[in-house]
Amino acid sequence: MSDIKTITVTSPLLPDLEEFHELLTDIWESKWITNNGEFHRRLEQALCDYLKVPFISLFTNGTLPLLTALQALRVKGEVITTPYSFVATTHSIWWNGCEPVFVDIDPKTGNMDPDRIEAAITPRTSAIMPVHVYGIPCDIKRIQEIADKYHLKVIYDAAHAFGVEYNGKSILRAGDLSTLSFHATKVFNTIEGGAMIMHDAATKEKIDFLKNFGFAGETEVVGPGINSKMDEIRSAYGLLNLKQVDDAIECRRHITNLYRESLKDVEGISFFHEIPGVRHNYSYFPIFVDSDKYGLSRDELYYKMKENGIFGRRYFYPLISSFSTYQGLPSANKRNLPHAYKMAESVICLPMHHRLTDNEVQRVLDCILIR
Ligand SMILES: Cc1ncc(COP(=O)(O)O)c(C=O)c1O
């Protein structure tokens, strides 16, 4: 395996180095390196335009906007959420002193099953935190109906959903607040980074205070805020990456089609399909292995890929609810989450990034096709 070129699950979108150098020169000359500088403001405006959202606030990562969203909406008691996500989703609930209540997913989408949400509501429930997992839109309409009926807040963890639209409208406009991650592994990255999307200027002002220790002006602190401001260097990096994100998404679409076409008749391998009306971002390509039909278990295939220099990822495995921090919660019981367990135990995310060549994609496919 030593002389085989490694195929990684992801590879970051990097700005042109010369262009980045020019912007760095501007920053050096201005001597303004953080605290709502010019590039921070420019990136916020450029993202509002690109994402078709009215207001956005940049953060240093995708975890702190989740924490801040719950705090800003004064969420208390129980928060209904999904176990099929990255652990930051649940951690943000815990950090706010609330209790995460896990509900099962819909196996057709990997997202929270709305029927399960309603059944999990108690007098202590104050919010729902769904995730558009792999960038697949949740059932936004049903979730809002439930939230309205029971007077619950909805905060979408949209870490995977950069640029995803439904019927021409950004899914980031759903719920009370949505959050994004701009981590290096994401479709659009600022190395580390994230954002919150809100509906009105007053909420943006409040969030901007909260991400700056709660400062409203020089001498007033309006709440127990945190430091989560994106600096000028990463804002400039983001501005450059935004120019190339559509091309990167197009490459991912091409790779997705190659995977789908070759895997469509493989017994024991399934995957998600295009959803009518959705502009996808092709952020991940998860496959689900049925070992009885495929002949190898998920882990056997995962390690076979590794031996061949192909690094997939068992994303999301283990389930958040099975980590020691959360497994004692009543809702973490395996019997409560059969679909989530099944998905977590059968998933492999195949390599997916804008630099993958057709030959590399074929190598991944051969590894799966030739048993
Ligand atoms: C669903 C989800 N939520 C939250 C996060 C946290 O984002 P960050 O790593 O930028 O803090 C991630 C990151 O991978 C994620 O996948």
Side-chain angles (χ1 to χ4, degrees):
M1 128 140 205
S2 54
D3 46 358
I4 308 176
K5 189 171 168 270
T6 293
I7 302 177
T8 52
V9 69
T10 183
S11 177
L13 186 64
L14 292 167
D16 179 86
L17 198 51
E18 272 181 35
E19 281 189 80
F20 189 41
H21 194 255
E22 275 175 35
L23 297 193
L24 286 178
T25 308
D26 292 345
I27 294 170
W28 257 239
E29 279 170 5
S30 75
K31 316 242 175 335
W32 192 297
I33 56 176
T34 188
N35 284 19
N36 199 24
E38 180 196 335
F39 286 103
H40 184 281
R41 293 195 302 272
R42 275 173 60 189
L43 183 57
E44 284 192 343
Q45 187 53 55
L47 284 170
C48 279
D49 296 343
Y50 179 86
L51 296 169
K52 304 184 201 160
V53 296
F55 296 95
I56 195 164
S57 181
L58 291 173
F59 277 72
T60 43
N61 58 47
T63 303
L64 287 167
L66 286 169
L67 247 74
T68 307
L70 288 158
Q71 198 212 11
L73 297 176
R74 300 188 189 282
V75 171
K76 298 270 179 301
E78 295 172 1
V79 180
I80 297 175
T81 190
T82 171
Y84 195 76
S85 178
F86 183 63
V87 71
T89 312
T90 309
H91 281 349
S92 69
I93 297 169
W94 202 256
W95 271 84
N96 274 275
C98 300
E99 180 174 332
V101 175
F102 299 112
V103 298
D104 206 6
I105 56 168
D106 176 348
K108 291 193 290 303
T109 62
N111 290 324
M112 273 164 85
D113 179 347
D115 289 337
R116 302 299 186 107
I117 298 176
E118 197 154 3
I121 293 171
T122 74
R124 294 189 65 230
T125 309
S126 63
I128 309 171
M129 184 178 276
V131 179
H132 302 292
V133 78
Y134 307 127
I136 299 168
C138 291
D139 190 340
I140 287 165
K141 193 164 167 276
R142 285 274 321 275
I143 291 174
Q144 198 56 53
E145 281 164 7
I146 296 167
D148 291 344
K149 184 169 163 193
Y150 294 93
H151 309 290
L152 306 177
K153 303 288 185 198
V154 185
I155 298 164
Y156 280 98
D157 179 343
H160 302 173
F162 185 89
V164 175
E165 293 175 10
Y166 183 55
N167 289 340
K169 192 173 165 191
S170 173
I171 62 164
L172 301 171
R173 298 176 72 156
D176 293 280
L177 294 165
S178 287
T179 66
L180 286 165
S181 164
F182 301 153
H183 182 257
T185 52
K186 300 292 190 283
V187 170
F188 169 79
N189 84 86
T190 57
I191 309 176
E192 295 275 356
M196 194 190 303
I197 288 87
M198 59 286 288
H199 299 287
D200 58 85
T203 307
K204 173 166 166 55
E205 185 179 55
K206 181 170 171 183
I207 298 299
D208 286 347
F209 292 157
L210 287 177
K211 76 176 181 191
N212 186 27
F213 310 96
F215 271 109
E218 278 181 43
T219 52
E220 204 188 346
V221 169
V222 292
I226 202 156
N227 181 7
S228 187
K229 308 180 295 289
M230 184 180 284
D231 61 71
E232 285 294 275
I233 295 173
R234 285 186 286 158
S235 302
Y237 175 108
L239 269 176
L240 296 178
N241 257 355
L242 195 56
K243 292 199 291 185
Q244 29 172 22
V245 73
D246 279 340
D247 288 346
I249 291 173
E250 183 51 32
C251 292
R252 288 166 176 272
R253 193 182 67 82
H254 170 72
I255 296 160
T256 299
N257 287 340
L258 294 177
Y259 280 147
R260 282 183 178 153
E261 187 51 34
S262 293
L263 295 175
K264 68 177 192 295
D265 297 322
V266 181
E267 249 220 295
I269 299 287
S270 57
F271 49 82
F272 294 126
H273 297 275
E274 211 76 6
I275 303 170
V278 174
R279 182 211 186 220
H280 291 277
N281 65 8
Y282 309 99
S283 44
Y284 301 89
F285 193 82
I287 60 166
F288 305 99
V289 183
D290 178 333
S291 50
D292 291 340
K293 292 188 184 141
Y294 179 65
L296 293 179
S297 70
R298 184 276 304 274
D299 285 350
E300 283 168 335
L301 176 58
Y302 173 74
Y303 288 112
K304 180 184 164 198
M305 286 166 58
K306 248 186 172 175
E307 278 162 25
N308 286 280
I310 300 163
F311 290 84
R313 213 177 144 194
R314 289 170 294 181
Y315 198 54
F316 293 101
Y317 166 83
L319 284 183
I320 303 176
S321 49
S322 58
F323 289 129
S324 57
T325 321
Y326 301 115
Q327 65 187 199
L329 293 169
S331 64
N333 192 307
K334 194 170 178 177
R335 280 197 305 274
N336 186 41
L337 308 166
H339 295 305
Y341 266 91
K342 190 165 176 219
M343 196 166 271
E345 282 160 11
S346 62
V347 69
I348 304 179
C349 284
L350 300 186
M352 172 56 72
H353 57 82
H354 63 291
R355 260 187 280 276
L356 272 184
T357 64
D358 286 11
N359 282 344
E360 287 172 324
V361 172
Q362 196 54 52
R363 254 183 69 199
V364 178
L365 287 167
D366 287 346
C367 193
I368 300 169
L369 296 169
I370 303 165
R371 270 165 279 175

